[in-house]
């Protein structure tokens, strides 16, 4: 029988605050006030200034070049510096150093959107193990990831760093990743806690949200992660939540995170986040990163004039000491600086193919039955491995699509190869050289799409067996994506695709489109131009090899969408509240002179995010949550339930049979529709998922789900508790959120209060929340 995936375990909590270990307390007791203050503020970083050698934002040069930050050492107490480095898609450190001639490349893994689309928690844990090995072997103590903010809106600039629009998927992926990384004895920092769902004015943006939506959608993945995986650290986010900076919110960092959820690790701020160091200390934001002299002064002054109790700093410091005591740095781990990058590249390739999503495949266009391909689109020759900013990785290479095809035994058209490569290298040579900070402030646009005339397209349609066209997108920290020329195709791309499609279809030859993007794009207006569409996401450094594996059929695609692809951007429920209402007239100067523009984002959609909205309000998406095709087909049958009435838990099982001709894997998704009760509920919500092993044609696997009252509970604001409604619940096992294959009902005899919480994070204004 298939392994059980039980999505329970968030049971009622004891409201005891975390107390630090005796050893940590004893060490703190030996510290001077100055040492304590030093410890709660990081070692800082060099920032670019006039006439100074330009140092990088996001990098400290102390122990591991290119790492994001370092904590303070107290040698008299045998407490070393520890090093933290980004990020979610792999370790971000400098690939070379001035001090030697070695290289320090790290593996660029597939981005989080791809990993989540695999729905394969075992595989994600395996990626985590390998990622964590690089962290350890490069002398780093904590990796600043994974990112688990919800994909609230398709334009979120950092969505590629985050998993999904659904809290269960995001939570379970995080658990797998944290367990994998931390199995090495290094830490993770789950981020950004919380409600950091847009990049626009991220340091001055107020997320205005109801308690229910906050708890059910945005805090939930963090809750799952804290309860089930014990991350060493949590990173608080830049934004305000209902008027208070996340990093200054006692309610968020102490009442919810520590008292309700029992988090025992340390909280660090996002880099230069928040503004009141004393408030941050009081909130339980133990460590201020990367750390500034002003923060030290503010804390010292407050201690001296008694507006800050030393006990608060003692607690914060003790949590930092507890963390340090667990680090490889403290244990004097002799790191090799030589992780097995070859083995990791092989795993990155497998993982990448596992999370790609086949969106369309008319008349079995794929797997490819031909060898001669005309490959179009700049991105085919300049593939995007991952996003920009702190979520970037300094990898040694990225296999392009065309390279992957060649290695896979295909013959891309040589003249096109020559034309595109010389065009791209010429255009790249014209681009200004920028450091990390300059690129962050002013991202270099992607090279304009090379235009080809109709005569050329007709000639290629005559000589090649098929056309492949890649659409490429990139985004990253600091700004959100745009609708025009990004979410939507650029006019030049649409025009080229139209003409490729016309030329090839005129000769009865097929067109395959590859989407190489970290997030959602528009597909409905152009998908009829393509016979097949493969969503390759940003698949990491082995990109082209992994795409070729799927195109060739070496790997049967088994990814499914963990975020909805709407027909058009305007269909999304969050559009009128994204990226929020901006007040430029109230702007002040922030870090490095960057303007801080007050912004308000009202989460008027409430709990109706992603498929919870589309499927409840019957807005048809281009591709729904949970959607993804395979080269084979599956039959669902024999759904069974352990009991028609839920006592403590029920088990639901069903058989999945491969009814096609090729081996393949299926992702079965369990949605539950609640009975009509006191609270508004989405049409159905995901409560469990299981990915089968590779099933041979004719082979059957039994999938199994354990459901408890806890999984059925919604947050009742009036009573500040999680409640599972009495009545008849319908469990729907589907191949996607709209392709339900089998249903079964069960009853909960009485209402169950699964958790009583504190009245916190209360919005200060009325929210005109969406209801059914
Ligand atoms: C980002 C974090 C990152 C940190 C350190 C910040 O700008 O928001 O995600 O971990 O920098 O580089």
């Amino acid at each position: 029988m298939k392994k059980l995936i039980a999505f329970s375990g968030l049971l009622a909590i004891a409201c005891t605050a975390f107390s630090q270990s005796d050893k940590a307390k004893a060490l703190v007791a030996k510290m001077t006030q100055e040492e304590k203050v030093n410890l709660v503020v990081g070692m800082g970083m060099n920032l670019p200034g006039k006439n100074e050698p330009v140092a990088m934002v996001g990098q400290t040069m102390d122990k591991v070049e290119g790492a994001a930050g370092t904590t303070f050492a107290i040698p008299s107490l045998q407490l070393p510096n520890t090093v933290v480095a980004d990020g979610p898609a792999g370790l971000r450190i400098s690939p070379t150093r001035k001090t030697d001639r070695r290289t320090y490349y790290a593996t660029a893994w597939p981005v989080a959107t791809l990993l989540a689309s695999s729905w394969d928690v075992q595989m994600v844990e395996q990626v985590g193990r390998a990622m964590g090995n690089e962290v350890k072997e490069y002398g780093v103590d904590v990796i600043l990831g994974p990112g688990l903010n919800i994909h609230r809106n398709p334009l979120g600039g950092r969505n590629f760093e985050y998993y999904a629009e659904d809290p269960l998927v995001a939570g379970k992926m995080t658990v797998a990743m944290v367990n994998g990384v931390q199995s090495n004895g290094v830490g993770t920092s789950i981020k950004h806690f919380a409600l950091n769902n847009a990049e626009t004015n991220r340091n001055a943006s107020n997320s205005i949200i109801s308690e229910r939506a906050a708890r059910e959608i945005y805090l939930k993945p963090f809750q799952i992660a804290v309860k089930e995986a014990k991350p060493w650290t949590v990173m608080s986010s830049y934004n305000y939540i209902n008027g208070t900076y996340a990093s200054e919110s006692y309610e968020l960092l102490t009442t919810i995170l520590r008292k309700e959820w029992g988090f025992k690790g340390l909280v660090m701020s996002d880099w230069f986040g928040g503004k009141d160091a004393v408030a941050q200390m009081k909130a339980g934001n133990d460590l201020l990163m990367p750390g500034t002299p002003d923060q030290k002064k503010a804390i010292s002054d407050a201690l001296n004039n008694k507006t800050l109790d030393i006990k608060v700093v003692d607690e914060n410091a003790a949590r930092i000491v507890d963390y340090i005591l667990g680090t490889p740095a403290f244990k004097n781990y002799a790191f090799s600086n030589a992780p097995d990058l070859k083995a990791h590249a092989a795993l990155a390739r497998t993982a990448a193919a596992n999370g790609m999503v086949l969106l369309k495949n008319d008349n079995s266009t794929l797997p490819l039955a031909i060898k001669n391909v005309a490959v179009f689109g700049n991105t085919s020759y300049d593939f995007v491995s991952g996003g920009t900013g702190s979520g970037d990785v300094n990898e040694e290479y990225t296999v392009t699509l065309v390279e992957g095809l060649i290695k896979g035994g295909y013959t891309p058209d040589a003249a096109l190869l020559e034309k595109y490569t010389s065009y791209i290298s010429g255009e790249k040579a014209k681009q200004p050289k920028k450091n990390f900070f300059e690129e962050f402030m002013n991202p270099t646009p992607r090279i304009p799409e090379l235009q080809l005339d109709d005569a050329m397209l007709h000639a290629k349609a005559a000589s090649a067996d098929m056309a492949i066209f890649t659409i490429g997108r990139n985004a990253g920290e600091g700004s959100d994506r745009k609708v025009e020329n990004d979410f939507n195709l650029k006019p030049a791309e649409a025009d080229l695709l139209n003409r490729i499609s016309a030329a090839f279809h005129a000769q009865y030859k097929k067109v395959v489109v590859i989407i190489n993007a970290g997030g959602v794009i528009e597909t409905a207006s152009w998908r009829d131009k393509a016979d097949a569409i493969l969503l390759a996401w940003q698949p990491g450094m082995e990109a082209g090899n992994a795409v070729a594996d799927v195109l060739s059929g070496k790997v049967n695609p088994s990814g499914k969408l963990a975020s909805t692809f709407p027909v058009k951007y305007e269909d999304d429920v969050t559009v009128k509240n994204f990226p929020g209402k901006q007040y430029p007239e109230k702007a002040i100067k922030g870090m490095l002179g960057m303007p801080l523009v007050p912004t308000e984002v009202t989460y008027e959609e409430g709990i109706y995010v992603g498929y919870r909205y589309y499927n409840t309000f019957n807005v048809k998406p281009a591709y729904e949550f949970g959607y993804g095709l395979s080269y084979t087909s599956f039959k669902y049958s024999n759904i069974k339930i352990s009991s028609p009435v839920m006592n403590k838990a029920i088990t639901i099982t069903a058989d999945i049979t491969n009814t096609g001709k090729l081996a393949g894997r299926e992702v079965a998704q369990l949605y539950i529709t609640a009975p009509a009760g006191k609270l508004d509920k989405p049409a159905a919500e995901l409560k469990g998922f299981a990915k089968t092993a590779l099933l041979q044609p004719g082979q059957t696997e039994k999938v199994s789900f354990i459901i408890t009252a806890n999984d059925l509970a919604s947050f009742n604001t009036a009573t500040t508790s999680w409640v599972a409604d009495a009545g008849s619940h319908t469990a729907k096992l589907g191949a996607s959120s709209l392709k339900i294959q089998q249903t079964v009902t069960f009853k909960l005899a009485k209402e169950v209060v699964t958790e009583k919480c504190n009245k916190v994070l209360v919005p200060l204004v009325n929210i005109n929340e969406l209801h059914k």
Side-chain angles (χ1 to χ4, degrees):
M1 194 203 258
K2 173 84 190 145
K3 67 259 161 194
L4 297 186
I5 298 192
F7 291 157
S8 55
L10 308 176
L11 291 171
I13 32 71
C15 287
T16 45
F18 167 64
S19 60
Q20 303 74 38
S21 74
D22 290 343
K23 181 162 184 195
K25 281 195 222 155
L27 284 166
V28 172
K30 289 187 188 152
M31 291 177 195
T32 63
Q33 178 175 310
E34 194 188 351
E35 283 171 332
K36 291 174 189 175
V37 175
N38 281 337
L39 198 60
V40 296
V41 179
M43 296 275 288
M45 65 169 38
N46 306 317
L47 293 173
K50 258 198 184 153
N51 308 325
E52 287 169 26
V54 177
M56 306 284 204
V57 169
Q59 308 207 353
T60 47
M61 298 301 165
D62 308 299
K63 256 178 129 178
V64 178
E65 216 174 290
T70 323
T71 63
F72 200 81
I74 307 180
S76 58
L77 299 177
Q78 276 86 48
L79 295 176
N81 300 111
T82 68
V83 178
V84 302
D86 289 304
L91 184 67
R92 188 171 69 89
I93 56 175
S94 296
T96 53
R97 294 181 188 170
K98 286 180 210 82
T99 45
D100 62 39
R101 293 161 144 235
R102 300 181 56 152
T103 55
Y104 300 82
Y105 291 113
T107 304
W109 300 95
V111 300
T113 22
L114 182 148
L115 294 179
S117 307
S118 75
W119 302 67
D120 186 345
V121 285
Q122 279 88 358
M123 185 272 285
V124 173
E125 187 170 335
Q126 211 185 340
V127 167
R129 277 200 292 275
M131 195 189 284
N133 168 266
E134 291 182 24
V135 174
K136 191 169 188 183
E137 293 308 327
Y138 278 132
V140 174
D141 298 285
V142 169
I143 188 162
L144 303 172
L148 45 151
N149 299 88
I150 290 292
H151 293 170
R152 174 174 175 258
N153 175 288
L155 303 185
R158 297 184 83 170
N159 282 359
F160 76 96
E161 296 186 53
Y162 307 144
Y163 293 112
E165 70 185 19
D166 175 79
L168 183 72
V169 177
K172 291 292 167 181
M173 291 298 146
T174 304
V175 169
M177 181 57 80
V178 169
N179 283 338
V181 170
Q182 293 191 170
S183 67
N184 293 279
V186 294
T188 52
S189 195
I190 61 172
K191 68 188 189 183
H192 308 86
F193 190 55
L195 287 142
N196 183 179
N197 305 102
E199 284 302 285
T200 306
N201 305 325
R202 61 184 184 169
N203 295 85
S205 179
N206 185 15
S207 299
I208 300 171
I209 187 163
S210 70
E211 293 151 68
R212 180 177 177 195
R215 296 255 188 187
E216 281 188 24
I217 307 292
Y218 300 94
L219 301 186
K220 189 72 166 192
F222 288 93
Q223 184 177 13
I224 294 172
V226 166
K227 293 273 182 177
E228 297 179 29
K230 306 209 179 347
W232 285 16
T233 82
V234 169
M235 186 189 294
S236 57
S237 58
Y238 281 133
N239 50 288
Y240 297 87
I241 301 174
N242 291 331
T244 305
Y245 267 127
S247 62
E248 298 174 10
S249 172
Y250 182 89
E251 294 184 345
L252 181 73
L253 304 182
T254 299
T255 310
I256 294 182
L257 180 65
R258 293 199 165 94
K259 294 188 181 171
E260 291 188 6
W261 300 350
F263 176 64
K264 297 201 178 350
L266 91 87
V267 176
M268 69 177 83
S269 68
D270 198 347
W271 268 229
F272 304 102
K275 66 174 177 224
D276 181 343
V278 176
Q280 289 172 313
M281 288 293 109
K282 291 180 182 169
N285 196 119
D286 309 305
L287 176 63
L288 306 184
M289 289 302 277
T292 67
D294 286 353
Q295 289 169 329
K296 288 191 182 177
K297 182 169 181 317
I299 296 169
S300 298
D301 288 352
L303 286 172
N304 293 339
N305 67 28
K306 306 270 183 268
T307 49
L308 175 62
D309 191 335
I310 189 69
K311 282 194 201 130
V312 171
V313 175
D314 283 350
E315 265 195 46
N316 300 135
R319 283 193 283 256
I320 297 171
V321 172
D322 259 331
Y323 145 75
I324 295 173
L325 297 178
T327 56
F330 179 77
K331 294 172 186 161
N332 268 319
Y333 178 69
F335 50 92
S336 63
N337 274 328
D340 188 349
L341 295 178
K342 243 185 153 162
H344 294 178
L347 177 61
R349 176 174 178 169
T350 319
N354 194 349
M356 292 182 186
V357 184
L358 184 63
L359 296 179
K360 176 174 181 179
N361 193 21
D362 283 0
N363 304 315
S364 301
T365 301
L366 297 175
L368 293 176
I370 48 86
K371 291 288 175 202
N372 294 322
V373 283
V375 183
F376 299 99
N378 299 346
T379 307
S380 298
Y381 302 83
D382 186 21
F383 224 70
V384 184
S385 59
T388 62
S390 63
D392 197 3
V393 178
N394 295 313
E395 69 272 32
E396 189 176 4
Y397 61 84
T398 297
V399 180
T400 66
L401 173 63
V402 85
E403 287 164 350
L405 287 169
I406 293 169
K407 283 196 238 164
Y410 296 92
T411 315
D413 182 272
L416 283 175
L417 177 73
E418 160 60 30
K419 198 170 172 65
Y420 271 104
T421 21
S422 69
Y423 168 72
I424 290 166
S425 58
E427 290 297 306
K428 282 206 166 162
K430 289 186 218 155
Q431 288 177 336
K433 290 264 161 302
K434 292 182 192 163
N435 64 35
F436 183 91
F437 176 69
E438 291 161 337
E439 186 61 42
F440 176 80
M441 297 291 281
N442 185 14
T444 309
R446 290 181 62 71
I447 295 168
E449 197 58 53
L450 172 65
Q451 283 304 311
L452 301 167
D453 60 26
D454 283 342
M456 158 90 110
L457 297 181
H458 286 293
K460 297 304 163 197
S463 60
D465 298 326
M466 182 182 266
I468 297 181
F469 177 66
T470 305
I471 296 165
R473 293 290 181 270
N474 212 350
E477 143 168 47
S479 44
D480 291 306
R481 294 171 55 204
K482 301 276 179 298
V483 178
E484 293 313 322
N485 299 314
D486 187 348
F487 180 80
N488 291 341
L489 288 203
K490 299 170 188 167
E493 287 169 332
D495 173 60
L496 186 58
L497 176 58
N498 269 335
R499 291 186 298 109
I500 291 170
S501 178
F504 278 73
H505 287 157
Q507 311 237 15
Y508 304 102
K509 291 180 181 172
K510 290 179 175 168
V511 177
V512 176
V513 172
I514 310 289
I515 301 173
N516 175 204
V520 172
I521 67 165
E522 187 275 328
T523 54
S525 72
W526 56 265
R527 60 184 164 184
D528 62 327
K529 309 285 178 240
D531 301 280
I533 305 173
L534 178 67
L535 174 59
W537 295 118
Q538 290 172 339
M541 61 193 283
E542 283 287 321
N545 286 335
V547 177
D549 288 343
V550 174
L551 294 181
S552 67
K554 198 169 149 191
V555 175
N556 188 346
S558 61
K560 298 208 181 187
L561 296 178
S563 285
T564 306
F565 270 52
V567 168
K568 51 185 193 304
Y569 175 70
E570 292 71 27
D571 286 347
D572 198 85
V573 65
T574 61
V575 161
K576 63 178 171 26
N577 290 301
F578 185 92
K581 194 157 182 240
Q582 304 181 43
Y583 297 93
E585 68 285 0
K586 295 189 189 158
I588 54 164
K589 275 207 171 136
M591 192 189 55
L592 302 168
M594 287 191 283
L596 272 180
V597 180
T599 299
E600 285 174 0
V601 190
T602 307
Y603 287 52
E604 284 187 308
E605 70 286 355
I607 55 166
Y608 293 107
V609 181
Y611 73 90
R612 285 172 168 74
Y613 169 70
Y614 289 98
N615 296 356
T616 307
F617 292 85
N618 294 317
V619 179
K620 199 169 167 22
Y623 300 109
E624 74 272 13
F625 179 80
Y627 174 92
L629 303 175
S630 165
Y631 298 152
T632 187
S633 51
F634 297 97
K635 193 179 104 201
Y636 289 60
S637 63
N638 208 17
I639 193 161
K640 289 217 172 84
I641 191 156
S642 55
S643 156
V645 179
M646 177 186 273
N647 189 1
K648 282 224 158 61
I650 49 157
T651 303
I652 296 168
T653 56
D655 291 340
I656 297 181
T657 307
N658 182 347
T659 50
K661 294 196 177 66
L662 292 169
R665 302 181 71 187
E666 171 68 335
V667 176
Q669 303 150 39
L670 187 76
Y671 297 88
I672 294 188
T673 299
K678 286 184 213 126
L679 302 180
D680 213 32
K681 297 261 191 170
E685 292 182 282
L686 184 78
K687 299 298 178 186
F689 56 87
K691 186 158 190 169
T692 68
L694 187 72
L695 298 181
Q696 297 303 320
Q699 198 181 341
T700 298
E701 181 172 312
K702 197 174 275 307
V703 289
S704 175
F705 307 88
I706 297 173
I707 300 293
T708 66
N710 205 50
D711 299 309
L712 307 177
S714 299
F715 188 77
N716 186 336
T717 311
T719 59
T720 322
S721 53
W722 289 85
V723 183
D725 280 341
S728 176
H729 296 256
T730 309
K732 304 173 170 177
L733 191 59
S736 84
S737 60
L738 292 178
K739 289 201 197 79
I740 301 304
Q741 308 290 313
Q742 296 249 285
T743 60
V744 68
T745 59
F746 64 91
K747 278 208 169 62
L748 191 63
K750 290 202 306 276
E751 174 183 290
V752 182
V753 175
T754 56
E755 190 178 336
K756 180 82 186 118
C757 301
N758 296 283
K759 188 86 187 151
V760 288
L761 301 186
V762 179
L764 305 175
V765 291
N766 236 349
I767 302 172
N768 181 20
E769 240 188 14
L770 179 64
H771 292 289
K772 257 198 306 210

